[in-house]
Amino acid sequence: MNGRPRTDFLARVRESWSDPPDWVVALAEACTNKTQGEVARLIGYSPSAVSATLANKYTGDVAEIAERTRGAFLGQHVICPRKGRMRRDVCMAWQAKPFAQTSSDRVAMFHACRSGCPHSRLKGE
């Protein structure tokens, strides 16, 4: 420990959200158990985005943070038409990957995420 008091992330959430959703509480609990930077990396966002979300001040895509948090910390799964059962945050990470011909699996997932998958937040291309 570096001598600084630990941030009470749950207190921050209680001050900022009148009725915090389950995923916000899970995000705060994760930040209590890990560093905020580690939590941010796990959901694919910056520490400042996590901080703003906990303070109910994030102006970006809150629904995406919610889905990634539910997958990473609440165990939400989806059934991927290509890969089968996977955590929602992993599904979101696949959707975020740009096209790359590094492997046939990567190419197939790029197209699967953009061609009618019920879990995709992307438009078909």
Side-chain angles (χ1 to χ4, degrees):
M1 199 80 144
N2 60 12
R4 288 185 287 168
R6 293 238 352 135
T7 301
D8 187 347
F9 294 99
L10 287 171
R12 183 187 304 175
V13 165
R14 285 190 294 273
E15 291 169 8
S16 304
W17 293 77
S18 60
D19 185 21
D22 61 341
W23 66 269
V24 172
V25 173
L27 189 63
E29 289 171 347
C31 289
T32 299
N33 297 322
K34 302 178 183 305
T35 69
Q36 192 168 316
E38 288 172 317
V39 170
R41 276 189 298 282
L42 286 169
I43 64 169
Y45 275 83
S46 67
S48 61
V50 170
S51 180
T53 300
L54 295 174
N56 199 12
K57 294 183 179 183
Y58 185 65
T59 58
D61 190 348
V62 175
E64 184 170 334
I65 290 183
E67 289 184 57
R68 287 177 178 253
T69 300
R70 285 187 180 110
F73 304 114
L74 293 175
Q76 182 182 35
H77 286 79
V78 297
I79 304 301
C80 173
R82 171 123 176 96
K83 292 194 164 285
R85 182 179 165 92
M86 71 171 57
R87 286 190 341 235
R88 181 60 173 149
D89 59 309
V90 174
C91 170
M92 299 295 293
W94 272 109
Q95 291 176 50
K97 291 183 183 198
F99 182 81
Q101 291 182 330
T102 54
S103 75
S104 58
D105 188 45
R106 176 91 180 251
V107 170
M109 283 298 290
F110 179 87
H111 292 296
C113 292
R114 288 157 178 79
S115 57
C117 174
H119 308 294
S120 180
R121 299 185 78 228
L122 305 170
K123 304 281 187 232
E125 296 180 357

